[in-house]
Every structure is written in structure tokens, then in C-alpha cells.
Amino acid sequence: MSRSAAVSDAAVSPPILDEAAGWLALARQRALDADEAAQLEAWRRRSAAHEQAWQAALELQRMLRDVPPGLGAEVLGRHRLDRRSVLKSLAILAVAAPAGYAAWLQAPGWHADYRTATGEREDVTLPDGSRLTLNTASAVRLAWSDKERRLVLVEGEILVATAAGSKSDPRALLVETAHGTIRALGTRFSVRETGDGRTGVSVFADAVAVQPGAGGPAHRLEAGNTLAFDRLRVFPAAAHDTGASAWTRGQLVSRNQRLGDFVAELARYRPGVLRCDPAVADLRLSGVFQLEDTDRILDLLGETLPVRVERRAPFWVTVTVR
Amino acid sequence: MNTRAASLKNPSGVLERVYVDHHGWLRHWLQSRLGCPDAAADLAQDTFVRVVARREELQRSPLRQPRAFLRVIAGGLLVDHLRRRDLERAFLDALSARPDPTALSAEEREILLETLDRIDKLLDRLSAPVRRAFLLSQLDGLGYAAIGRRMGVSERTVKRYMQQAYRQCLAALL
């Protein structure tokens, strides 16, 4: 009985679904005019299946309306486990010879990719409860196993804050970059692919151990300090200023910074080309800027410094002589 | 459950054997991925409930690779469990970040979480750009042109994404 009901439910054919989705997409784009509203009414009356599809559409709209927007955006917009790659790994297993099982059990349990576009910033909770923040244009792959919690920084910049209880997690927490590995000995640190062939590390609580990829001794870096390393060596550490983690709050902090360096930093957060004319690159500036609106930051430069912001196109901007 | 257990009696005892031979292994497998023995035990149980639901099929053609079979079933449950756990965490985080987390009653919270869970399941089937466009429209209230600028695609593409999102959600609801 219930089976035959299910069959009649399935009578909503793919074309009807397409049309219902088309109406929803149009109604979301703009208010329907009187003609269109009448057409939609007529469409609904065409068959029971049409009406049934529209009832589902109304239910969907109701569900979405019931969600408070801000909270919904945070919860539903969070970075997700990559379902497909989880399932794919499992599917590979299903056809693997029994001898392959043991190897699988030792391989990283599952992978997840986290990625931000230019100008985006994202907070993620990792499976062990640690927090990961991705800065603009960043990508991280998770390689979790029974023995270690490894984060592979593919590009960009991340801040890692290990979970309060994770000292009891016997597995090491590692960040791997193209140049080597950073082992967490404590709770909060950031890692950045600087784009000039080095990895930058800043520690905000406790310490980390930095290991260049080519080998050699690990280098311990304590809270309050920052350093760069490449595959061969670790460069001298220096105290970082308080602005080092400002990006996690959506801010760019500069203290007596060269305009050229500031613009290069700002360019990370904007799609397209942003350049600084060498003639003004040595001007200095200080301030706290909100990264949410980089156009506003550019306007501020024009208002406070003897420079002109030349917009040849929305995505082609030069800071030059006034 | 007892009557069901009795009905499992069959000449080959296929299901009993699958359970006895592989239950411990399955729990261990799940636990190594979840890190939580209780959740692993629950998911192992759910997995066997699904196996029991397919008993006729299994009696016709016995399993050649029972563990691979169990892993496929358990894998689906595992992914959904992780998704739900992730959702709950994000929900609690989002609530605790609000000025007055107690403004919602326990019941309202539960209803809201269930609604979020239903939508989340629908969204899980969408590709990342389609989902992003859908959320920017539905929750952030952005128009198609603004979404296009944000995502670096044309307004027409956004409309296509939206239609795709609606279509997949409707198909899942029907």
C-alpha cells in the first residue's frame, strides 16, 4: 500500500521539477508581475504532479524562512567535510583485495579540503575540536590518522588554536608546508606561505617546533615571536607586533609601514590587480583597517596620503602620485 | 526486536554470522574514525539494523566480502554522523556567540536545530558554488547581481546555480 503511494509520488517528472525550480529562481530574483503570477497559477493546475511539486516548493520556502539569517548563514555556511572524497575512499576500499585493508587502516583516515576565495575568511572546527582559521585565498587539506593530526597548507595563511583538551590527545598536531613541518607544542600559532619561497610562522601562545623539509635540527619558536624558513634553513626569529593576528579579526594593522609593503599585503585580500607606484612606495602609514571593505581602505589612502588611487577598471587599481 | 531476532533464524545463519564475526571489527573501525566509543557502538548497531533490513537479498546471494559490504553501509552512516556532529557544534558556537543565548527555549532550540539539519542535508548534495550562491541569496539576502560580483560569475550563471539548487532540494523533498 505504502509502496504504491510512493510510486505515485514519484510521478513528478524531471521536466516538472525543472519548471518548478525555474519559477522559484525567478521569484527569488524579482517579484512576479500579474501575468507571471497568473501563469504560475495555471501551471500549478495542470496536473496533480505539478501541484505536488509546488507544495514541495512552498515547504522549502517555509523551512528557509524559519531560519534566522545570521545564525543560519554561520551554521549552514560552515566548511563541510568533503562527502565525496570520504565516500570515494570508502568505495575504493569496497573493491580492494583483502590484503589492501591493512594498508588502508594505516593510511590517513579521511581527507577534507577547506578553501577560501580571495577576500574571504573562514573559521573551521576540526574533528578533534581544534579551531582553524583560514585567511584570504587559502587552502588546507586534512590528513588525519591514528598517529597524527596533519594539516597540509596548500596555499595562503592559517591560524591554528588547538582544543583545550587536546593535550590529552596523544597524536601530534602538525602543519606541513612546501618548506617543512611545524609541530604544535602549544595552543595558538599561524602559518603563512609568503609566496617568496618561504613559510612564515608566528606563535601567540606556548611554542612550536619548526623543521625544514631538507632535514637538520628542529628549531623551537616561543610565543611572541615570528620567523621564516625555507626547505634548507631557518631564518632568525624576531618579536612580532600585536598586528600579527589582526587578520583573524578581519583587520589589517600597520605601524609606520612602507606604503609599498602595505599595498602588497592589501592585494592579498582583493581579486584582480592592485599595484603601488614605486614613486610613492616609501611613504609611511599607520592605522587599523577593516578588511571587509578594501575599496574603503583604498579611498582612505587617497584621503590621508599624498597619493591618488587610479581605478582603470574595478579589478585594475594603481596607487600612484597625486 | 525479539520477534525480529527470531525471524532471523534461517538455515545459513548468514546474519548471525556476519554479526558475530564482524561486530567487534566494525566497532573498532568506526571508533578509529570517530574517536568516541559510544558513537562507534551506536553506528555499528545502526549498520547491523540496515543489514537486517536487507536480509532477504543477503540470503539469496551470500556476501563474499562481508567487511567491504559493512564498510559501505557504515561509511554512509559515518558521513552523516560527522555532518550532524559538525552541524551541532556550529549551531552551539553560533548560539553562544549571540548576545542572549537563553532567548530561545530548549524546545525552540531543538526545533531550530532540526530545521537546520533538514536544510543542511539538502545542501550537502549541492556543489560548493551552487550552495554558496544559494546561501548568499536565501540567508544573506543578496540579489543575483551582487552574488555574481561576490563570486566572480555572471548574473545568468547565478540564476542557473539557483535553479539547480532549487531543483535538487525539491527532488530530495518529494
Side-chain angles (χ1 to χ4, degrees), chain A:
Chain A
M1 201 56 215
S2 66
R3 186 155 284 246
S4 70
V7 169
S8 83
D9 280 350
V12 178
S13 63
I16 295 180
L17 277 179
D18 285 338
E19 286 165 14
W23 279 112
L24 281 170
L26 180 64
R28 186 77 201 162
Q29 186 174 25
R30 57 175 174 75
L32 301 184
D33 63 30
D35 275 357
E36 288 163 339
Q39 280 173 36
L40 175 56
E41 280 306 309
W43 180 86
R44 284 173 64 173
R45 281 196 299 270
R46 251 191 250 171
S47 77
H50 287 76
E51 180 57 24
Q52 199 182 333
W54 197 248
Q55 286 304 322
L58 293 176
E59 193 193 343
L60 180 62
Q61 286 180 324
R62 255 195 312 276
M63 268 162 61
L64 290 163
R65 243 199 330 267
D66 284 348
V67 173
L71 184 134
E74 248 170 86
V75 174
L76 298 170
R78 73 190 189 282
H79 266 283
R80 291 154 186 272
L81 304 170
D82 186 345
R83 179 183 196 103
R84 226 170 304 172
S85 74
V86 172
L87 289 176
K88 198 162 80 185
S89 324
L90 292 163
I92 289 164
L93 263 167
V95 296
Y101 293 165
W104 161 260
L105 289 173
Q106 276 152 37
W110 38 280
H111 303 279
D113 286 311
Y114 302 112
R115 180 176 283 279
T116 49
T118 298
E120 279 185 340
R121 183 164 42 91
E122 230 28 277
D123 284 310
V124 177
T125 303
L126 297 175
D128 68 342
S130 296
R131 304 288 310 203
L132 175 69
T133 307
L134 288 88
N135 201 357
T136 175
S138 300
V140 169
R141 190 162 56 76
L142 217 60
W144 235 235
S145 75
D146 295 347
K147 299 190 187 68
E148 59 180 31
R149 297 164 286 163
R150 182 179 290 261
L151 301 167
V152 181
L153 179 62
V154 181
E155 62 173 333
E157 181 170 25
I158 53 172
L159 178 93
V160 182
T162 53
S166 84
K167 282 189 173 143
S168 60
D169 194 323
R171 296 174 300 171
L173 185 108
L174 305 166
V175 176
E176 177 187 315
T177 75
H179 311 110
T181 311
I182 297 113
R183 177 181 295 262
L185 305 172
T187 52
R188 238 165 76 86
F189 63 101
S190 70
V191 181
R192 171 176 172 184
E193 288 271 351
T194 54
D196 60 357
R198 296 180 184 181
T199 294
V201 186
S202 297
V203 182
F204 305 102
D206 296 321
V208 301
V210 174
Q211 174 76 67
H219 187 290
R220 188 180 166 99
L221 185 68
E222 301 287 342
N225 292 290
T226 189
L227 64 67
F229 69 98
D230 62 19
R231 280 189 53 77
L232 298 174
R233 62 198 162 285
V234 174
F235 298 94
H240 61 64
D241 57 35
T242 47
S245 66
W247 64 266
T248 62
R249 301 183 301 274
Q251 294 174 339
L252 192 56
V253 176
S254 65
R255 266 189 202 78
N256 199 28
Q257 189 175 22
R258 278 183 72 247
L259 181 60
D261 295 340
F262 178 82
V263 168
E265 186 67 15
L266 186 61
R268 293 172 64 204
Y269 298 91
R270 278 179 67 88
V273 178
L274 172 61
R275 291 196 307 202
C276 184
D277 185 338
V280 295
D282 286 326
L283 290 170
R284 298 270 166 174
L285 82 162
S286 300
V288 177
F289 303 90
Q290 302 300 325
L291 284 168
E292 181 177 75
D293 189 350
T294 55
D295 278 315
R296 175 87 194 106
I297 300 179
L298 288 170
D299 292 344
L300 273 172
L301 291 182
E303 288 162 20
T304 55
L305 292 172
V307 298
R308 188 164 53 90
V309 176
E310 195 177 275
R311 291 179 164 87
R312 279 178 228 171
F315 294 120
W316 186 275
V317 179
T318 308
V319 179
T320 184
V321 191
R322 182 141 67 193

Side-chain angles (χ1 to χ4, degrees), chain B residues 23-39:
Chain B
H23 184 258
W25 163 84
L26 182 64
R27 271 180 67 162
H28 179 262
W29 184 80
L30 285 164
Q31 196 178 326
S32 71
R33 267 144 198 86
L34 284 163
C36 169
D38 290 342

Side-chain angles (χ1 to χ4, degrees), chain B residues 73-144:
Chain B
I73 295 180
L77 294 172
L78 178 68
V79 170
D80 197 54
H81 175 84
L82 292 172
R83 184 197 57 76
R84 170 77 191 211
R85 191 174 71 178
D86 208 36
L87 175 87
E88 281 176 18
R89 263 191 205 149
F91 179 64
L92 291 176
D93 280 359
L95 275 186
S96 66
R98 308 279 132 186
D100 186 9
T102 55
L104 287 174
S105 72
E107 192 193 353
E108 286 167 331
R109 255 181 217 223
E110 214 37 58
I111 291 170
L112 181 53
L113 181 59
E114 281 318 306
T115 306
L116 285 168
D117 186 51
R118 283 189 72 194
I119 299 173
D120 197 58
K121 271 187 200 149
L122 297 176
L123 296 179
D124 219 31
R125 300 158 195 261
L126 306 180
S127 70
V130 170
R131 185 167 57 226
R132 177 138 185 263
F134 190 67
L135 289 174
L136 285 172
S137 167
Q138 292 287 349
L139 296 174
D140 295 312
L142 293 187
Y144 290 180

